[in-house]
């Protein structure tokens, strides 16, 4: 609900603008800010040449047109970039805020919690166990606050905190759950869509494993 809430809030300030144009402006502004943050990350890690390549990949990727029209993708991309930048600067709690807001922008935005969690675990190796566990718990709890607020809202308004998942039945995707695409590879091995979705998840997991190992080397070099 975060994207329509942002658009609705701005419309109360500027009521003369149509929903379509306000939503379009929000999407484009969020996308531009996200690209600036992504560029800052790429420049700090790989230099100016990497910035151009990365932005080209983002802007020409499949579905990038959603970043400039009334959809939540621009806002979610901004929150993804913010979570990454904040974690990179050791602002884990603020990164957790971005992760929590990402989860109430689009459900799969909940995966953003891995950004501050993994970064914190990598950088806090060797620290006192109890302190490390306390700080980790704080990061997770902060990310869960926006989600909890949303679930309470759904419970009061429509009678079910899981209405966001139950509504997926109208799309032919009843009973969604995390990593359902991976399970689908076993349940429906002949479905091409299952292999496409599952393959994307496998790619994500592979990238996480690869850069988790190299993260320690990067920190040591800096």
């Amino acid at each position: 609900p975060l994207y329509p809430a942002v658009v609705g809030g701005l419309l109360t300030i500027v009521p003369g603008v149509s929903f379509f144009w306000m939503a379009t402006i929000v999407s484009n502004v969020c996308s531009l800010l996200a690209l600036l943050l992504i560029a800052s990350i790429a420049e700090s890690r790989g230099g100016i040449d990497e910035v151009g390549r990365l932005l080209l990949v983002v802007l020409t990727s499949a579905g990038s047109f959603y970043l400039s029209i009334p959809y939540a993708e621009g806002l979610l991309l901004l929150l993804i970039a913010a979570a990454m930048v904040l974690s990179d600067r050791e602002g884990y709690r603020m990164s957790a805020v971005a992760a929590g807001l990402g989860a109430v922008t689009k459900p799969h935005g909940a995966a953003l919690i891995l950004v501050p969690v993994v970064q914190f675990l990598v950088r806090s190796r060797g620290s006192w166990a109890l302190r490390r566990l306390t700080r980790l718990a704080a990061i997770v709890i902060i990310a869960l606050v926006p989600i909890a607020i949303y679930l309470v809202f759904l419970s009061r308004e429509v009678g079910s905190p899981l209405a966001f998942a139950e509504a997926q039945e109208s799309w032919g995707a009843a009973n969604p759950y995390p990593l359902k695409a991976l399970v689908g590879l076993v349940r429906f091995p002949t479905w091409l869509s299952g292999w496409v979705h599952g393959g994307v998840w496998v790619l994500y997991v592979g990238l996480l494993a690869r850069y988790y190992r190299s993260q320690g080397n990067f920190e040591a070099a800096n």
Side-chain angles (χ1 to χ4, degrees):
L2 186 60
Y3 178 73
V6 170
V7 175
L10 291 173
L11 285 175
T12 62
I13 301 174
V14 192
V17 180
S18 70
F19 176 86
F20 175 84
W21 285 113
M22 181 60 76
T24 300
I25 291 171
V26 169
S27 291
N28 280 273
V29 169
C30 287
S31 297
L32 177 60
L33 293 175
L35 292 173
L36 291 173
L37 289 176
I38 291 171
S40 71
I41 298 173
E43 187 175 6
S44 65
R45 296 295 180 95
I48 193 66
D49 292 337
E50 293 298 325
V51 174
R53 293 172 186 169
L54 180 56
L55 294 183
L56 180 63
V57 169
V58 173
L59 292 175
T60 59
S61 61
S64 60
F65 61 90
Y66 284 110
L67 299 176
S68 60
I69 60 178
Y71 274 78
E73 274 68 14
L75 177 58
L76 180 60
L77 183 62
L78 175 59
L79 292 170
I80 292 171
M84 293 174 63
V85 169
L86 290 166
S87 288
D88 191 55
R89 297 175 181 175
E90 299 189 10
Y92 304 118
R93 294 181 181 179
M94 290 304 299
S95 179
V97 172
L101 293 177
V104 295
T105 300
K106 294 182 78 70
H108 54 272
L112 270 179
I113 186 58
L114 291 175
V115 175
V117 166
V118 172
Q119 188 80 297
F120 171 75
L121 290 175
V122 169
R123 292 186 174 183
S124 63
R125 290 171 178 169
S127 61
W128 186 39
L130 181 58
R131 182 185 178 190
R132 189 184 191 209
L133 183 60
T134 302
R135 293 184 63 188
L136 179 62
I139 293 171
V140 174
I141 291 172
I142 290 172
L144 290 177
V145 169
I147 301 174
I149 293 173
Y150 179 42
L151 295 181
V152 170
F153 171 80
L154 286 177
S155 181
R156 292 182 176 180
E157 294 297 319
V158 299
S160 172
L162 300 178
F164 71 95
E166 296 165 353
Q168 297 300 313
E169 185 175 359
S170 60
W171 293 79
N175 303 317
Y177 49 84
L179 303 181
K180 185 176 182 179
L182 293 180
V183 177
L185 292 178
V186 179
R187 294 185 59 198
F188 310 105
T190 60
W191 287 14
L192 177 60
S193 61
W195 282 100
V196 172
H197 293 148
V200 170
W201 275 104
V202 171
L203 175 63
Y204 288 160
V205 173
L207 289 172
L208 177 61
R210 175 185 175 184
Y211 289 107
Y212 183 85
R213 290 196 300 268
S214 63
Q215 184 70 23
N217 296 330
F218 175 82
E219 296 301 333
N222 287 271

